[in-house]
Amino acid sequence: MGPHPAVAAIRLAVRRVLHDVIAEHAEQTERAGHAPHPELARAGAGSRPGTLPDRPDTPLVLVACSGGADSMALASALAFEARKLPVRAGGITVDHGLQDGSDLRATEVAARLAAMDLGPAEAVAVHVGREGGPEAAARDARYAALDAAAERHGAAAVLLGHTRDDQAETVLLGLARGSGIRSLSGMAAASGPAGRYRRPFLQLDRQTARTACLAQSLPVWDDPHNIDPAYTRSRLRHEGLPALEKALGKGVVEALARTAQLSRDDADALDTWAAAADRDVRDDAGRLECAKLYALPPAVRRRVLRRAAIEAGSPAGSLFARHIEEVDRLVTGWRGQQAINLPGRVEALRQGGRLVIRQS
């Protein structure tokens, strides 16, 4: 008798990602002039080798585990699949220090990871600042810790337990901010430096992960912040989405997840177009020509302007649609406006038919 259907589903999702990581690692090894371990090449091609001893030339994959159902299911699937593939598996839990006893809980989660034969199995404490609000500050601190852990251990990938439900929430949050199609594209299956962060569960719902934990008798911790109405995502999860499903019927989460993928495809295509257009709208000195910018479709032109602002030193996370709209008016609605101040001490101004974006 095979595993519970929920367990089989999470394992299959993780197996697919591990095969991708192994294939990419083998390709990188070959490009570097080293012959990849034969099992790496076969695994990357889709075979299922037997148990292998840990080798320094096999990629290390870490799982970010909070102790909640999604990440515990992910950790269990990683531990199971790693035994059959040429890959080393470890786990990291981040202690945000925002609740009493969080250090003890993090230590407990790290011990559970170690009991699954994941190694390294670490608990990392972080300081959460205030910039951007509590949710954004916690997220920034968490990713900084995960980046540092990946660099420290030389990890090829870090697995995250975001589900289809999380994707739906992310799309709705982007829609509420009015941030454009890129925000509507939600979370990518692979993101971060060199695609470090992988999200195997984006096609699975949250209930599947929880059922998998129950089927395997895995203890899980339910973060009280996830039901605290003080947090926007919590309100959306427990009030907003249920209200949408009541009004529109079941299937809202799946529809939003499809919207994310379609939006991502469109956004990627527009970004590619903008990258090519960026070269064509500059003069011999590399300055942006307003007449050529004006001729571009608005969606492409604004992407060119955003790229230019970021290259000049404006932080991407602080550069919002309203900033780009003001810069765009220097091209499409020129009335002798003064320079536009952008985050990061960057200014945009029009001079003699050229758009200048520079540090102020």
Side-chain angles (χ1 to χ4, degrees):
M1 182 177 177
H4 188 283
V7 176
I10 65 170
R11 288 176 179 175
L12 176 60
V14 169
R15 189 184 316 143
R16 287 170 172 164
V17 169
L18 292 182
H19 277 299
D20 289 343
V21 172
I22 292 166
E24 291 163 13
H25 182 78
E27 185 179 340
Q28 292 168 4
T29 301
E30 200 166 0
R31 281 204 305 266
H34 305 294
H37 187 272
E39 293 288 6
L40 284 175
R42 286 201 292 273
S47 70
R48 295 182 61 181
T51 302
L52 292 174
D54 283 350
R55 291 175 51 97
D57 59 349
T58 57
L60 170 65
V61 176
L62 299 174
V63 57
C65 185
S66 66
D70 301 340
S71 59
M72 284 298 292
L74 183 59
S76 72
L78 173 62
F80 180 85
E81 294 297 330
R83 298 187 190 106
K84 304 182 294 178
L85 294 170
V87 64
R88 293 173 291 138
I92 303 293
T93 186
V94 178
D95 172 19
H96 297 85
L98 298 177
Q99 301 169 15
D100 292 339
S102 63
D103 54 339
L104 296 176
R105 189 157 40 248
T107 300
E108 194 175 287
V109 171
R112 290 176 187 166
L113 296 175
M116 294 179 184
D117 292 329
L118 295 176
E122 293 183 353
V124 180
V126 297
H127 171 72
V128 177
R130 296 183 177 181
E131 187 173 353
E135 291 169 285
R139 182 176 60 249
D140 290 346
R142 179 167 59 256
Y143 276 101
L146 293 175
D147 278 334
E151 295 291 340
R152 186 168 63 253
H153 295 292
V158 178
L159 305 188
L160 304 176
H162 296 124
T163 64
R164 186 170 61 192
D165 301 78
D166 296 306
Q167 184 75 296
E169 293 162 9
T170 302
V171 172
L172 285 176
L173 288 170
L175 182 62
R177 288 193 296 265
S179 301
I181 195 171
R182 179 56 73 184
S183 285
L184 295 183
S185 67
M187 297 175 285
S191 64
R196 168 179 292 161
Y197 293 106
R198 309 294 176 106
R199 298 176 174 87
F201 289 175
L202 284 183
Q203 301 303 316
L204 300 177
D205 61 25
R206 190 174 288 140
Q207 188 56 46
T208 296
R210 185 168 289 275
T211 301
C213 289
L214 289 171
Q216 298 173 97
S217 300
L218 293 175
V220 299
W221 171 66
D222 291 315
D223 186 348
H225 283 173
N226 289 336
I227 58 173
D228 187 342
Y231 295 93
T232 304
R233 187 176 285 270
S234 175
R235 294 195 302 273
L236 181 59
R237 180 174 302 175
H238 298 288
E239 300 174 22
L241 269 172
L244 280 176
E245 289 194 333
K246 183 177 180 180
L248 302 176
K250 295 292 184 181
V252 169
V253 168
E254 293 85 345
L256 288 169
R258 285 196 302 275
T259 297
Q261 185 57 59
L262 293 170
S263 297
R264 180 166 298 281
D265 292 343
D266 290 349
D268 288 346
L270 288 168
D271 285 346
T272 300
W273 187 354
D278 184 84
R279 298 187 293 270
D280 298 332
V281 296
R282 295 180 182 271
D283 61 18
D284 293 339
R287 296 173 299 180
L288 292 166
E289 297 188 59
C290 291
K292 292 180 178 179
L293 284 169
Y294 186 86
L296 291 175
V300 178
R301 181 175 61 246
R302 288 170 184 158
R303 279 169 166 76
V304 171
L305 299 178
R306 179 178 174 81
R307 284 166 55 93
I310 292 171
E311 288 172 1
S314 194
S318 303
L319 195 61
F320 302 135
R322 66 176 183 273
H323 296 127
I324 302 305
E325 288 168 3
E326 289 299 318
V327 177
D328 194 41
R329 289 192 185 96
L330 295 177
V331 177
T332 62
W334 174 242
R335 298 290 186 274
Q337 299 99 310
Q338 297 297 311
I340 305 298
N341 293 319
L342 301 173
R345 299 178 62 83
V346 171
E347 66 175 7
L349 64 157
R350 181 163 173 159
Q351 291 180 337
R354 303 293 190 271
L355 187 66
V356 179
I357 302 178
R358 66 191 180 192
Q359 286 280 341
S360 58

